[in-house]
Amino acid sequence: MKFNSKLVFPLIILCTAGLYLLLIFGVGSNQTFSVGNVRQGLDLMGGVSILYEANIPNPSTADMNAANNMLRDRLDRRGYLEATAVVEGSRQIRVEIPGVDDAEAAVAEIGATALLTFRDEMGNILLTGADVADARSEFSQGHGMGVSLRFTSEGTQLFADATRANMHRPIMIYMDEELISAPNVNAVITDGVAQITGRFTREEADLLASQIRSGSLPFGLEVISMNYIGARLGAEALQTSIIAGIIGLALVLLFMGLVYRTMGLAANLALVIYVALVMVLISGIGVTLSLPGIAGIILSIGMAVDANVVIFERIREEISVGKSLRGAIRTGYKRAWPAILDSNVTTLIAGGVLFWLGTGPIMGFAQMLIIGILVSMFTCLFVTRIITTCLIDLGLVKSSHILPRKKNEDIVEADEAEEPQKQSLWALFKSESPVPRPIVEKRKIYFAFSVGVLAIGLAFMLFHGVRGNGFFNMDVEFSGGTSFFIEMGQSFENADVENIVRDVTGIAAPQVQPVIGEDAVMIRVTQLEAEARLALIDALAERYNLEPGAFSYADVSPAVSQAMQRSAILAIVFASLGMLLYISIRFRDLRTGGSAVIAQLHDALVVLCVYGILRIPLNYAFIAVMLTTLGYSINATIIIFDRMRENRERIKKGGPALLMNTSVTQTLRRTVISTLTSFLAVLMLYIIGVAAIRDFTLPILVGLVFGGYSSVFLSGSMWFMMVKGKGKS
């Protein structure tokens, strides 16, 4: 890589400054690409609340749930991934959409009603949306973009009759009274599958398919009210999160500088560029930033730092055996590339599956994760290397800065090590070529420790379950509950209302959202008995001198519906299977993939125990926490297995135990550094953040620690047991 560093390095500095100016000021009147243009979720910024009501007196519960699911589907397809839709009472559905300035435009976009009908030229209804099983946009040879329809068994017969009676005439498709398409009938269709063809663009075909899919409501929905609502986490949540993020990033930069000295400057500058690029993309693409999105950013930042750590550790190793600085950098990047590729691709597979099968916040998490990983690979493999080369050319990075003194006498070849020797953790952390530690031999201790942790968690869950409190503290988003709308008629502090709700009900994290411009507040809590509900009303009435008419309430369905829960479980299962398949193919060993996935499952169960022991409410953030834990766990494990793959060619004696011990020990310094940097960033969110942010970050901190622990002490030991069980070395 040859270039004029005296020109390139100042150009990089100017480009970095330009990126941050773009983040501050943006482009055009809408400030596109700026931080101010980033869409924020209901939890951080609030949005618009729309209350729909069925236009029939007694809709069934099944029909209301179907209507709610269709609204949820329409929100996802319009890009409102962080929006919520819940059934209130027996006839109403409340939709909350983040980052919307015009409530009427939002209603127009997602539709107030959605009664789909197929009609002939005389206006006679031939079929309704209830007869349509599915509609998808697709490309067909000779016809271009179109829409494929699949009908139900009853709809198949009705559509056959309709096409037979209207040969060479149009069948018009109406959404309520609006004509959305009028395809001509060219043949009698009896198999229940039809094609709408025409000169559609992809966007037009997608829109038509979406309208048909969401148009099978058995009744219409009318808008009862529209309100602007504040942030669920309180007005200070966003500000404290930003401050915590800045401090956390500064600590990471300081840590990297202390560990890697002048070469750490290259990683730090690349990380600063990475953050700017991610934020510019988030703003430009229109991704909604909420707690799940923050989790995705945390994970991708951790992987960005980790990639640099893997590269720098490889460079240290090459210098420790006497290579020149430039030679060490070339070899270091070459040897680090497989590990970086495998760890990022496995996480990308997970992100892709989560986006494909997930809904709502799961898709938002996956979006953020995919963007972050792609940008991190670009910055660590290209930007960091260019900056490092510039610093070397400018004389700012030298071998002595990376490895102060060479200790060849400490180097012990794995082939020659007859038995593991003891070292302190600090000596191991400083060592360039550490002696293999007896990890595999002590596996029973680590397995016993993990079983003990899981047993304690299970005991707490059973204790709470027997007492009737449930195995977990289910938040209103998972369990449903009660929604209050209170006309305060006066100014009030959101935190004050939240404290009253918490004191009266004992609920740790109630959802309290001010209604902007109306001196009103919306409160959502888990299901309350009549006595507790009256006690809450009395407490608020006494505190704010309110009349009984100021209160209205209704039961609400879970925001995380059963369909969404099934979608989340299915997405995680398929993502795990995808990672298992990829790892097994790349390492040519099913046992490698199996032990990595088992280690992931262990970490997920530990985090689940944290929720059970500390009674942290299970809500949207829980899904993001679990996904973040799985991402960190697989990333750390892949690095170890990649080193094991490389060591197979070098270590011919000692069997699988020495192979695994050597690989774990050689990568332990990287594991410690990567875990510490990520831990520091998340720790600041925990220390400075509001209560809900702390409930979100504490399990992530535990997941980080146990993700590193399982990678070092469990994954390799499980692989060894699988190999030993087959009698292979």
Side-chain angles (χ1 to χ4, degrees), residues 78 136-138 145-147 180-181 196-213:
R78 294 293 190 277
R136 299 285 171 184
S137 60
E138 64 177 30
M145 288 303 303
V147 176
I180 61 173
S181 185
I196 300 176
T197 58
R199 296 182 177 179
F200 293 108
T201 64
R202 175 170 289 279
E203 290 75 18
E204 291 168 342
D206 287 343
L207 176 60
L208 179 58
S210 176
Q211 288 175 315
I212 294 173
R213 270 195 310 274

Side-chain angles (χ1 to χ4, degrees), residues 513-526:
Q513 294 172 271
V515 179
I516 308 300
E518 294 194 21
D519 288 336
V521 66
M522 291 173 57
I523 301 172
R524 281 198 190 93
V525 291
T526 49

Side-chain angles (χ1 to χ4, degrees), residues 152 198 236 308 389 529 636:
T152 63
E236 71 279 12
N308 285 318
T389 303
E529 299 294 336

